[in-house]
Amino acid sequence: MARVLLVDDDRQLLDVLALALGEAGHDVSSAEDGLQALDAIAKLQPQLVVADINMPRLDGLSLCRRLRESGDLTPIILLTSRDGEIDEALGLELGADDYVTKPFAMRVLLARIAALLRRDAVRAGTEASVTRALRVGALALDSERVEVRWKDTLVACTLTEFRLLEALAQRSGVVHTRQQLLEAARGDDSVVGQRIVDVYVRRLRRKLEAVDPEFAAIETVVGLGYRWNA
């Protein structure tokens, strides 16, 4: 069971989702727009947020951006009636962990929620990663705290970003394909474009370059994927 916050201005859909998630054993709360969601997140501290993109006052993308800018790493699944890799890339750029396009089968959403909660379990120490602590050159990863440090400076990363970085650093110098990194980062078999890995890598580079403008340890291998070059 997990505390899940549903955010959507469609009351009928909220009721359907709340019923399905409740039957799956989750403790469900709801909000009808992004501003209500911010208040609910502060009070309830949910373990996962499912938010529609198109909402009044504060939409899902803006909600996601505000949470990440404040350092809140609560896993977020975005729902949208829009399709296309550009929309998905935008949501992931802003820090979303997953993306589901309407209309969707309820079992698909429940599977995505379960997969994301499994990935996030490491934060509570209920699921061990391959290593608890990893240091490669200037990079330090703490799997129990899901902390990334570069040159002893803390870098705020989502769990998806952490898992991807961990996969690269564990095998320094080895080329990882986009599919391998996607499986490591997401930990499920959901069908998304492998190019989404480029979004994750671009986001990681931007965060690490903010700490160290000369950061260049994530190397692009044209036609293959990426490798960690310590």
Side-chain angles (χ1 to χ4, degrees):
M1 185 180 72
R3 294 184 306 278
V4 179
L5 176 66
L6 302 174
V7 191
D8 200 313
D9 61 330
D10 184 337
R11 171 48 63 179
Q12 184 175 0
L13 179 59
L14 274 181
D15 291 342
V16 171
L17 292 177
L19 179 62
L21 268 65
E23 289 179 346
H26 299 299
D27 179 9
V28 182
S29 302
S30 64
E32 296 187 4
D33 59 53
L35 292 180
Q36 285 186 16
L38 288 175
D39 290 338
I41 291 168
K43 294 176 182 176
L44 303 174
Q45 297 185 335
Q47 293 164 272
L48 184 139
V49 175
V50 179
D52 189 35
I53 285 184
N54 299 310
M55 295 184 293
R57 297 210 298 170
L58 189 70
D59 61 35
L61 293 174
S62 299
L63 170 64
C64 187
R65 183 177 62 248
R66 286 202 188 183
L67 289 174
R68 296 306 185 237
E69 287 177 348
S70 70
D72 190 319
L73 301 180
T74 303
I76 300 173
I77 296 177
L78 290 178
L79 305 178
T80 181
S81 56
R82 298 182 297 181
D83 197 3
E85 196 170 85
I86 292 177
D87 286 334
E88 182 171 1
L90 177 58
L92 295 174
E93 281 275 18
L94 294 173
D97 294 273
D98 209 344
Y99 184 103
V100 178
T101 303
K102 298 177 183 178
F104 53 84
M106 189 62 68
R107 60 180 177 80
V108 171
L109 178 61
L110 290 173
R112 296 285 186 91
I113 289 172
L116 194 51
L117 288 170
R118 284 196 301 271
R119 280 182 269 160
D120 197 52
V122 68
R123 283 189 192 167
T126 59
E127 178 178 302
S129 292
V130 175
T131 57
R132 293 199 170 198
L134 175 67
R135 180 175 286 276
V136 182
L139 177 71
L141 302 176
D142 186 323
S143 296
E144 283 194 337
R145 296 180 176 83
V146 194
E147 284 185 354
V148 176
R149 292 182 183 273
W150 179 258
K151 296 184 177 180
D152 295 324
T153 300
L154 186 64
V155 181
C157 292
T158 65
L159 183 60
T160 302
E161 294 166 348
F162 181 91
R163 292 283 293 272
L164 189 150
L165 192 56
E166 185 180 49
L168 285 169
Q170 282 174 345
R171 303 183 67 196
S172 180
V174 175
V175 177
H176 295 70
T177 66
R178 289 179 174 83
Q179 182 59 38
Q180 289 171 332
L181 291 173
L182 190 62
E183 291 172 359
R186 297 168 66 93
D188 59 29
D189 59 357
S190 55
V191 179
V192 295
Q194 292 183 22
R195 288 288 174 179
I196 294 303
V197 171
D198 298 341
V199 176
Y200 292 135
V201 170
R202 184 163 60 248
R203 209 163 64 188
L204 274 171
R205 281 173 170 160
R206 186 167 62 241
K207 290 181 177 183
L208 289 161
E209 287 168 357
V211 173
D212 178 7
E214 296 183 358
F215 173 82
I218 301 178
E219 180 181 349
T220 301
V221 182
V222 178
L224 292 176
Y226 298 93
R227 69 178 160 207
W228 184 264
N229 189 347

